[in-house]
Amino acid sequence: MQEPRDFGFNSKETLAFVLDSTPPPGFTQHWSRWRDLVWAEPAALEPTASSGLTQHGVTHVVRSLGGVYVGCRLSGAAPGAARGVVITSHGYGVPDQPMDDRDPWTVRDGMAVIKIRLRGFPGSDGVTGDLTGAPFGHICAGLDSSEPELDWSISGSTADLLNVFRAARLMYGRNVPIAIHGESYGGGIAVLAASQVFGTDNVHRMALGVPTLGGWHWRMEQRVTSGSGYDMARFIEAHPQLRDRTRELLRQFDAVVHARRVVCPVVCKLALKDEVVPAPTAAAIFNALGSDPGRKWRFVTAFGHFDGGVEDLRRHVQYEGLIGEFLDPAKRPREMMG
C-alpha cells in the first residue's frame, strides 16, 4: 500500500507549517449571532428515558441546536465525587460499535468521562436521520440549505459539543475542571467548540489527535482523494452556484482561525504524513493555538490515517497512555511532558 504523500514538505517543514489565522470579514458578527442562538437554550444531561433513545450505548442526552438530541454515555465518578471530567467525541468514520466504558481516564479514581456522538451519527440521529449517508458525506449535510449557518452539520456539531460542555458544567459544578479530547473530525470540532467557550467558561486542558477542519483554502488546492476534504471538494464541484458561499462559510469555521482563542494547556498528536487530514493543516492548527509556548506540546507520529507498521502503532498507543494522564487535573502538565 502506497504511503501518504508529503505535499512537498520534509518533516521539519510539515511541523512548522503555518496558515493565515486572521478572522475573515464578519467573523465577530457571525459568531455573535451563533452564540446567541446556542446559549439562549438551556443545556442539561438527561437520562435516555426522557427521550426514548437507548441504542448505541447512550445513557444520557443533551438537547442541542435545532432541537437535536445528542447521545452521550457517562461513566466513572458521579457528580459530587468527580475531581475532573473529560468530554470525548469521535472521528469521521461511522462508529462500528456502541459506546462503552473503555477509555484512558476512568481507570483513575475520581475521573468522569462523557462520550458523545455528534449529530447525524448513530446515537444522535433520532431527529436528523443518518447524516453519514448523505450524498456528499456528513461534513456537507445541510450546506445547500437556505440557512446553512443553522442547518449545516458542522455548525450543529459544534453546538452539540458546546452544549454537552455546558451541561457537564451544570451537572458536575463550577469548580470541577472539564477537559476536551477529540481525534481527527472530533479534534476539529473540539477546537471550534473551545473557541466558543472562551470568555464565558474555561476548558481545563485539551488533547487533540491530528485535528481536521483547518486550512480549507490551502486544502482545496491539494485535490485529496479521501476523507472529509474529498467530500467537500465533491460538493463544491457539484454545486458551482454555492461555491463562493461555501468557501466563505468554511473560512468562518476554519479551525486555524479558531485555534487563536484556545489558550489552555494542549497536547496534540501530529503526523508527518497524512492525506485524510493533510498533515500540514493539522500542524497549522497546532501552531495557531493561542496557548503559551510552554503550555502546548506536539506528540509526533510517522503517519496519521495509515497503517505505518508496528513501530508507528506503538507511538499511537503511547499517545493514548499519555493523554490518560495529561487530562487528569491531579497531574501537572509541565512535569509530565518534561
Side-chain angles (χ1 to χ4, degrees):
M1 191 172 181
Q2 187 175 0
E3 287 188 2
R5 55 184 167 141
D6 58 15
F7 298 97
F9 301 124
N10 61 34
S11 297
K12 289 184 178 180
E13 290 168 337
T14 295
L15 295 177
F17 192 70
V18 294
L19 289 165
D20 184 8
S21 61
T22 305
F27 183 85
T28 300
Q29 295 86 343
H30 175 100
W31 287 99
S32 178
R33 291 192 301 269
W34 187 92
R35 284 171 58 85
D36 287 346
L37 287 170
V38 174
W39 288 82
E41 297 292 334
L45 283 155
E46 303 172 356
T48 52
S50 64
S51 67
L53 297 174
T54 57
Q55 294 182 316
H56 307 292
V58 172
T59 63
H60 291 70
V61 294
V62 172
R63 186 178 171 89
S64 187
L65 186 66
V68 172
Y69 284 101
V70 181
C72 305
R73 183 175 183 86
L74 275 61
S75 57
R83 70 165 183 271
V85 179
V86 176
I87 301 172
T88 176
S89 56
H90 53 82
Y92 194 60
V94 181
D96 56 4
Q97 296 292 333
M99 291 184 286
D100 56 33
D101 294 339
R102 291 177 294 178
D103 61 73
W105 300 286
T106 49
V107 295
R108 302 172 179 278
D109 292 338
M111 292 296 291
V113 172
I114 304 175
K115 292 185 176 180
I116 79 169
R117 289 282 172 84
L118 301 171
R119 63 179 56 205
F121 283 89
S124 296
D125 55 358
V127 174
T128 64
D130 179 9
L131 299 183
T132 66
F136 299 95
H138 183 277
I139 194 172
C140 298
L143 262 181
D144 55 354
S145 162
S146 60
E147 294 185 290
E149 297 87 348
L150 299 179
D151 299 331
W152 184 28
S153 58
I154 298 302
S155 179
S157 294
T158 304
D160 297 344
L161 184 51
L162 176 60
N163 280 325
V164 171
F165 183 96
R166 295 173 60 212
R169 177 60 73 210
L170 181 65
M171 173 174 279
Y172 290 92
R174 196 70 194 175
N175 296 322
V176 176
I178 301 177
I180 299 178
H181 162 254
E183 294 282 322
S184 190
Y185 201 50
I189 296 294
V191 172
L192 298 178
S195 169
Q196 298 312 307
V197 170
F198 178 76
T200 305
D201 202 331
N202 295 305
V203 178
H204 181 60
R205 297 173 191 169
M206 295 182 70
L208 306 172
V210 289
T212 189
L213 306 183
W216 282 107
H217 179 74
W218 183 89
R219 193 171 177 174
M220 290 294 97
E221 295 177 342
Q222 309 310 310
R223 298 189 177 277
V224 295
T225 58
S226 60
S228 59
Y230 175 63
D231 286 345
M232 184 60 66
R234 291 191 301 120
F235 175 86
I236 291 175
E237 183 177 354
H239 299 82
Q241 75 281 10
L242 299 178
R243 181 188 305 272
D244 291 343
R245 190 186 77 171
T246 299
R247 288 184 179 275
E248 172 57 28
L249 201 57
L250 287 173
R251 185 62 178 157
Q252 295 288 348
F253 282 81
D254 194 319
V256 171
V257 175
H258 286 267
R260 293 158 45 108
R261 294 163 53 90
V262 176
V263 297
C264 63
V266 180
V267 62
C268 185
K269 179 172 65 177
L270 296 176
L272 298 178
K273 290 184 179 181
D274 194 353
E275 287 191 68
V276 175
V277 176
T281 64
I285 292 173
F286 173 82
N287 292 327
L289 289 170
S291 308
D292 293 338
R295 286 160 56 90
K296 62 179 183 179
W297 296 269
R298 293 179 300 204
F299 186 95
V300 181
T301 63
F303 302 102
H305 299 75
F306 180 80
D307 184 355
V310 174
E311 288 303 316
D312 194 51
L313 176 60
R314 285 176 181 160
R315 287 291 291 171
H316 289 274
V317 172
Q318 281 182 321
Y319 173 77
E320 293 298 312
L322 171 64
I323 63 175
E325 294 191 60
F326 184 83
L327 298 186
D328 183 342
K331 301 289 186 177
R332 295 185 177 183
R334 291 188 181 183
E335 294 178 1
M336 182 193 326
M337 299 308 289

Coordinates of all heavy atoms in Angstrom, one line a residue, residues 227-291:
G227 N -11.5 11.2 2.8 CA -11.8 11.9 4.0 C -12.8 13.1 3.7 O -13.4 13.2 2.6
S228 N -12.9 13.9 4.7 CA -13.9 15.0 4.7 C -13.5 16.0 3.7 O -14.4 16.7 3.1 CB -14.0 15.6 6.1 OG -12.8 16.1 6.5
G229 N -12.2 16.2 3.4 CA -11.8 17.2 2.4 C -12.2 16.8 1.0 O -12.6 17.6 0.2
Y230 N -12.2 15.5 0.7 CA -12.6 15.0 -0.5 C -14.1 15.2 -0.7 O -14.6 15.6 -1.8 CB -12.3 13.5 -0.6 CG -12.8 12.8 -1.9 CD1 -12.3 13.1 -3.1 CD2 -13.7 11.7 -1.7 CE1 -12.8 12.5 -4.3 CE2 -14.2 11.1 -2.9 CZ -13.7 11.4 -4.1 OH -14.2 10.8 -5.2
D231 N -14.9 14.9 0.4 CA -16.3 15.1 0.3 C -16.6 16.6 0.0 O -17.5 16.9 -0.8 CB -17.0 14.7 1.6 CG -17.0 13.2 1.8 OD1 -16.9 12.5 0.7 OD2 -17.3 12.7 2.9
M232 N -15.9 17.5 0.7 CA -16.2 18.9 0.5 C -15.8 19.3 -1.0 O -16.6 20.1 -1.6 CB -15.3 19.7 1.5 CG -15.6 21.2 1.4 SD -17.3 21.7 1.8 CE -17.4 21.2 3.5
A233 N -14.8 18.8 -1.5 CA -14.4 19.1 -2.9 C -15.5 18.7 -3.9 O -15.8 19.3 -4.8 CB -13.0 18.5 -3.2
R234 N -16.0 17.5 -3.6 CA -17.1 16.9 -4.5 C -18.3 17.8 -4.4 O -19.0 18.1 -5.4 CB -17.4 15.5 -4.1 CG -16.3 14.5 -4.4 CD -16.8 13.0 -4.2 NE -17.3 12.8 -2.9 CZ -18.6 12.4 -2.6 NH1 -19.5 12.3 -3.6 NH2 -19.0 12.2 -1.3
F235 N -18.6 18.3 -3.2 CA -19.8 19.1 -3.0 C -19.7 20.4 -3.8 O -20.6 20.8 -4.5 CB -20.1 19.4 -1.5 CG -21.2 20.4 -1.3 CD1 -22.5 19.9 -1.2 CD2 -21.0 21.7 -1.2 CE1 -23.5 20.8 -1.0 CE2 -22.0 22.6 -1.0 CZ -23.3 22.1 -0.9
I236 N -18.5 21.0 -3.7 CA -18.3 22.3 -4.4 C -18.3 22.1 -5.9 O -18.9 23.0 -6.6 CB -17.0 22.9 -3.9 CG1 -17.1 23.4 -2.5 CG2 -16.6 24.1 -4.8 CD1 -15.8 23.9 -1.9
E237 N -17.8 21.1 -6.3 CA -17.8 20.8 -7.8 C -19.2 20.6 -8.3 O -19.6 21.0 -9.4 CB -16.9 19.6 -8.1 CG -16.8 19.3 -9.6 CD -15.9 18.1 -9.9 OE1 -15.2 17.6 -8.9 OE2 -15.8 17.7 -11.1
A238 N -20.0 19.9 -7.5 CA -21.4 19.6 -7.9 C -22.4 20.8 -7.7 O -23.5 20.8 -8.3 CB -21.9 18.4 -7.1
H239 N -21.9 21.8 -6.9 CA -22.8 23.0 -6.7 C -22.0 24.3 -7.0 O -21.7 25.0 -6.0 CB -23.3 23.0 -5.2 CG -24.1 21.8 -4.8 ND1 -23.5 20.6 -4.5 CD2 -25.4 21.6 -4.7 CE1 -24.5 19.7 -4.2 NE2 -25.6 20.3 -4.3
P240 N -21.7 24.5 -8.2 CA -20.9 25.7 -8.5 C -21.6 27.0 -8.1 O -20.9 28.0 -7.8 CB -20.8 25.6 -10.1 CG -21.8 24.7 -10.5 CD -22.1 23.7 -9.4
Q241 N -22.9 27.0 -8.1 CA -23.7 28.2 -7.7 C -23.5 28.5 -6.2 O -23.7 29.6 -5.8 CB -25.1 28.1 -8.0 CG -25.9 27.2 -7.1 CD -25.8 25.7 -7.4 OE1 -24.9 25.3 -8.2 NE2 -26.6 24.9 -6.8
L242 N -23.0 27.5 -5.4 CA -22.8 27.7 -4.0 C -21.3 27.8 -3.6 O -21.0 27.8 -2.5 CB -23.4 26.5 -3.2 CG -25.0 26.3 -3.4 CD1 -25.4 25.1 -2.6 CD2 -25.7 27.6 -2.9
R243 N -20.5 27.8 -4.6 CA -19.0 27.8 -4.4 C -18.6 29.0 -3.5 O -17.9 28.7 -2.5 CB -18.3 27.9 -5.7 CG -16.8 27.8 -5.6 CD -16.1 28.1 -6.9 NE -16.6 27.2 -7.9 CZ -16.0 26.0 -8.2 NH1 -15.0 25.6 -7.5 NH2 -16.5 25.2 -9.1
D244 N -18.9 30.2 -3.8 CA -18.5 31.3 -3.1 C -19.0 31.3 -1.6 O -18.3 31.6 -0.7 CB -18.8 32.6 -3.8 CG -18.1 32.8 -5.1 OD1 -17.0 32.2 -5.3 OD2 -18.5 33.7 -5.9
R245 N -20.3 31.0 -1.5 CA -20.9 31.0 -0.2 C -20.3 29.9 0.7 O -20.0 30.1 1.9 CB -22.4 30.7 -0.3 CG -23.2 30.9 1.0 CD -24.6 30.5 0.9 NE -24.8 29.1 0.9 CZ -26.0 28.5 1.0 NH1 -27.1 29.3 1.1 NH2 -26.1 27.2 1.0
T246 N -20.0 28.8 0.1 CA -19.4 27.6 0.8 C -18.0 28.0 1.2 O -17.6 27.7 2.4 CB -19.4 26.4 0.0 OG1 -20.8 26.0 -0.4 CG2 -18.8 25.2 0.7
R247 N -17.2 28.6 0.4 CA -15.9 28.9 0.7 C -15.8 30.0 1.9 O -15.0 29.9 2.8 CB -15.1 29.4 -0.5 CG -14.8 28.4 -1.5 CD -14.0 28.9 -2.7 NE -13.6 27.9 -3.6 CZ -12.5 27.1 -3.5 NH1 -11.7 27.2 -2.5 NH2 -12.3 26.2 -4.4
E248 N -16.8 30.9 1.8 CA -16.9 31.9 2.9 C -17.3 31.2 4.2 O -16.7 31.5 5.3 CB -17.9 33.0 2.6 CG -18.2 33.9 3.7 CD -17.0 34.7 4.2 OE1 -16.0 34.8 3.5 OE2 -17.0 35.0 5.4
L249 N -18.2 30.3 4.2 CA -18.6 29.6 5.4 C -17.5 28.7 5.9 O -17.3 28.7 7.2 CB -19.8 28.7 5.1 CG -20.7 28.3 6.2 CD1 -21.2 29.5 7.0 CD2 -21.9 27.4 5.7
L250 N -16.7 28.1 5.1 CA -15.5 27.3 5.5 C -14.5 28.2 6.2 O -13.9 27.8 7.2 CB -14.9 26.6 4.3 CG -15.6 25.4 3.8 CD1 -15.0 25.0 2.5 CD2 -15.7 24.3 4.8
R251 N -14.4 29.4 5.7 CA -13.4 30.4 6.4 C -13.9 30.7 7.8 O -13.2 30.8 8.7 CB -13.3 31.6 5.5 CG -12.2 32.6 6.0 CD -10.8 32.0 6.1 NE -9.8 33.0 6.5 CZ -8.7 32.7 7.1 NH1 -8.4 31.4 7.3 NH2 -7.8 33.6 7.5
Q252 N -15.2 30.9 7.9 CA -15.8 31.2 9.2 C -15.6 30.1 10.2 O -15.4 30.3 11.4 CB -17.3 31.5 9.1 CG -17.6 32.8 8.3 CD -17.3 34.1 9.0 OE1 -17.0 34.1 10.2 NE2 -17.3 35.2 8.3
F253 N -15.6 28.9 9.7 CA -15.5 27.7 10.6 C -14.1 27.0 10.5 O -13.9 25.9 10.8 CB -16.5 26.6 10.2 CG -17.9 27.0 10.7 CD1 -18.7 27.9 10.1 CD2 -18.4 26.3 11.9 CE1 -20.0 28.2 10.6 CE2 -19.6 26.6 12.4 CZ -20.5 27.5 11.7
D254 N -13.1 27.8 10.0 CA -11.7 27.3 9.9 C -11.1 27.1 11.3 O -11.0 28.0 12.0 CB -10.9 28.2 9.0 CG -9.6 27.6 8.6 OD1 -9.0 26.9 9.3 OD2 -9.3 27.8 7.4
A255 N -10.7 25.9 11.6 CA -10.1 25.6 12.9 C -8.8 26.3 13.1 O -8.4 26.6 14.3 CB -9.9 24.1 13.1
V256 N -8.1 26.7 12.1 CA -6.8 27.5 12.2 C -7.2 28.9 12.8 O -6.5 29.4 13.7 CB -6.1 27.6 10.9 CG1 -5.0 28.6 11.0 CG2 -5.6 26.3 10.4
V257 N -8.3 29.5 12.3 CA -8.7 30.8 12.8 C -9.2 30.7 14.3 O -8.8 31.5 15.1 CB -9.9 31.3 11.9 CG1 -10.4 32.6 12.5 CG2 -9.4 31.5 10.5
H258 N -10.0 29.6 14.6 CA -10.5 29.5 15.9 C -9.4 29.1 16.9 O -9.6 29.3 18.1 CB -11.6 28.5 15.9 CG -12.9 29.0 15.3 ND1 -13.9 29.6 16.0 CD2 -13.3 29.1 14.0 CE1 -14.9 29.9 15.2 NE2 -14.5 29.7 14.0
A259 N -8.3 28.4 16.5 CA -7.3 28.0 17.4 C -6.7 29.1 18.2 O -6.2 28.9 19.3 CB -6.2 27.3 16.6
R260 N -6.7 30.3 17.6 CA -6.2 31.5 18.3 C -6.9 31.7 19.7 O -6.3 32.3 20.6 CB -6.4 32.8 17.5 CG -5.6 32.8 16.2 CD -6.3 33.8 15.2 NE -6.7 35.1 15.8 CZ -6.0 36.2 15.6 NH1 -5.0 36.3 14.8 NH2 -6.5 37.3 16.1
R261 N -8.1 31.3 19.8 CA -8.9 31.5 21.0 C -8.8 30.4 22.0 O -9.4 30.4 23.1 CB -10.4 31.7 20.7 CG -10.6 33.0 19.9 CD -11.9 33.0 19.2 NE -13.1 32.8 20.0 CZ -13.8 33.7 20.7 NH1 -13.4 35.0 20.5 NH2 -14.8 33.4 21.4
V262 N -8.0 29.4 21.7 CA -7.7 28.2 22.6 C -6.5 28.6 23.4 O -5.4 28.6 22.8 CB -7.6 26.9 21.8 CG1 -7.2 25.8 22.8 CG2 -8.9 26.6 21.1
V263 N -6.6 28.8 24.7 CA -5.4 29.2 25.5 C -5.1 28.3 26.6 O -4.2 28.6 27.4 CB -5.7 30.6 26.0 CG1 -5.9 31.6 24.9 CG2 -7.0 30.6 26.9
C264 N -5.8 27.1 26.7 CA -5.5 26.2 27.8 C -4.3 25.3 27.4 O -3.8 25.3 26.3 CB -6.7 25.3 28.0 SG -7.2 24.3 26.6
P265 N -3.8 24.5 28.4 CA -2.7 23.5 28.0 C -3.3 22.5 27.0 O -4.4 22.0 27.1 CB -2.4 22.9 29.3 CG -2.8 23.9 30.4 CD -4.0 24.6 29.8
V266 N -2.5 22.2 26.0 CA -2.9 21.3 24.9 C -1.8 20.4 24.6 O -0.6 20.8 24.4 CB -3.3 22.1 23.6 CG1 -3.7 21.1 22.5 CG2 -4.4 23.1 23.9
V267 N -2.1 19.1 24.4 CA -1.2 18.1 23.8 C -1.8 17.7 22.4 O -3.0 17.4 22.4 CB -0.9 16.9 24.6 CG1 -2.1 16.1 25.0 CG2 0.2 16.0 24.0
C268 N -1.0 17.7 21.4 CA -1.6 17.5 20.0 C -0.8 16.4 19.3 O 0.4 16.6 19.1 CB -1.6 18.8 19.2 SG -2.4 18.7 17.6
K269 N -1.4 15.4 18.9 CA -0.8 14.4 18.1 C -0.7 14.9 16.6 O -1.8 15.2 16.1 CB -1.5 13.0 18.2 CG -0.9 11.9 17.3 CD -1.5 10.6 17.6 CE -3.0 10.5 17.2 NZ -3.6 9.2 17.4
L270 N 0.5 14.9 16.1 CA 0.6 15.4 14.7 C 1.4 14.3 13.9 O 2.3 13.7 14.4 CB 1.5 16.7 14.6 CG 0.8 17.9 15.3 CD1 1.8 19.1 15.2 CD2 -0.5 18.3 14.6
A271 N 0.9 14.0 12.7 CA 1.6 13.1 11.8 C 2.5 13.8 10.8 O 2.2 14.9 10.4 CB 0.5 12.3 11.0
L272 N 3.6 13.1 10.5 CA 4.5 13.7 9.4 C 3.9 13.5 8.0 O 4.2 14.3 7.1 CB 5.8 13.0 9.6 CG 6.6 13.3 10.9 CD1 7.9 12.5 10.9 CD2 6.8 14.8 11.1
K273 N 3.1 12.4 7.9 CA 2.4 12.2 6.6 C 1.0 11.7 6.8 O 0.7 10.8 7.6 CB 3.2 11.1 5.8 CG 4.6 11.5 5.3 CD 5.2 10.4 4.4 CE 6.5 10.7 3.9 NZ 7.1 9.7 3.0
D274 N 0.1 12.4 6.2 CA -1.3 12.0 6.3 C -2.0 12.8 5.1 O -1.7 13.9 4.8 CB -1.9 12.5 7.6 CG -3.2 11.9 7.9 OD1 -3.8 11.2 7.1 OD2 -3.7 12.1 9.0
E275 N -2.9 12.0 4.4 CA -3.7 12.7 3.4 C -5.1 12.8 3.7 O -5.8 13.8 3.3 CB -3.6 11.8 2.1 CG -2.3 11.9 1.4 CD -2.3 11.3 0.0 OE1 -2.9 11.9 -0.9 OE2 -1.6 10.3 -0.2
V276 N -5.7 12.0 4.6 CA -7.1 12.1 5.0 C -7.3 13.4 5.7 O -8.2 14.2 5.5 CB -7.5 10.9 5.9 CG1 -8.9 11.1 6.5 CG2 -7.4 9.6 5.1
V277 N -6.4 13.7 6.7 CA -6.3 15.0 7.3 C -4.9 15.5 6.9 O -3.9 15.1 7.5 CB -6.4 15.0 8.8 CG1 -6.1 16.4 9.4 CG2 -7.7 14.5 9.3
P278 N -4.7 16.3 5.8 CA -3.4 16.6 5.3 C -2.5 17.1 6.5 O -2.9 18.0 7.2 CB -3.7 17.8 4.3 CG -5.1 17.4 3.8 CD -5.8 16.9 5.0
A279 N -1.4 16.4 6.6 CA -0.5 16.7 7.8 C -0.2 18.1 8.0 O -0.2 18.6 9.2 CB 0.7 15.8 7.7
P280 N 0.1 18.9 7.0 CA 0.4 20.3 7.2 C -0.7 21.1 7.8 O -0.5 22.0 8.6 CB 0.8 20.8 5.8 CG 1.2 19.6 5.0 CD 0.3 18.5 5.5
T281 N -2.0 20.7 7.5 CA -3.1 21.5 8.1 C -3.3 21.2 9.6 O -3.6 22.1 10.3 CB -4.4 21.2 7.3 OG1 -4.8 19.8 7.5 CG2 -4.2 21.5 5.8
A282 N -3.0 20.0 10.0 CA -3.1 19.7 11.4 C -2.0 20.4 12.1 O -2.3 21.0 13.2 CB -3.0 18.2 11.6
A283 N -0.8 20.5 11.6 CA 0.3 21.3 12.2 C -0.1 22.7 12.3 O 0.2 23.4 13.2 CB 1.6 21.0 11.4
A284 N -0.8 23.3 11.2 CA -1.1 24.7 11.2 C -2.1 25.0 12.3 O -2.1 26.1 12.9 CB -1.7 25.0 9.9
I285 N -3.0 24.1 12.6 CA -3.9 24.3 13.8 C -3.1 24.4 15.1 O -3.3 25.3 15.9 CB -5.0 23.1 13.8 CG1 -5.9 23.2 12.6 CG2 -5.8 23.2 15.1 CD1 -6.9 22.0 12.5
F286 N -2.2 23.4 15.2 CA -1.4 23.4 16.5 C -0.6 24.7 16.6 O -0.5 25.4 17.6 CB -0.4 22.2 16.5 CG 0.5 22.3 17.6 CD1 0.2 21.8 18.9 CD2 1.8 22.8 17.4 CE1 1.1 21.9 19.9 CE2 2.7 22.8 18.5 CZ 2.4 22.4 19.7
N287 N 0.0 25.1 15.5 CA 0.9 26.3 15.5 C 0.1 27.6 15.7 O 0.6 28.6 16.2 CB 1.7 26.4 14.2 CG 2.7 25.3 14.1 OD1 3.3 24.9 15.1 ND2 3.0 24.8 12.9
A288 N -1.2 27.6 15.4 CA -2.1 28.7 15.6 C -2.7 28.8 17.0 O -3.3 29.8 17.4 CB -3.2 28.8 14.6
L289 N -2.5 27.8 17.8 CA -3.1 27.8 19.1 C -2.7 29.0 20.0 O -1.5 29.3 19.9 CB -2.8 26.5 19.9 CG -3.4 25.2 19.4 CD1 -2.8 24.0 20.1 CD2 -4.9 25.2 19.7
G290 N -3.6 29.6 20.7 CA -3.3 30.7 21.5 C -2.6 30.4 22.8 O -2.2 31.3 23.5
S291 N -2.5 29.1 23.1 CA -1.8 28.7 24.3 C -0.3 29.1 24.3 O 0.3 29.1 23.2 CB -1.8 27.2 24.5 OG -3.1 26.7 24.3

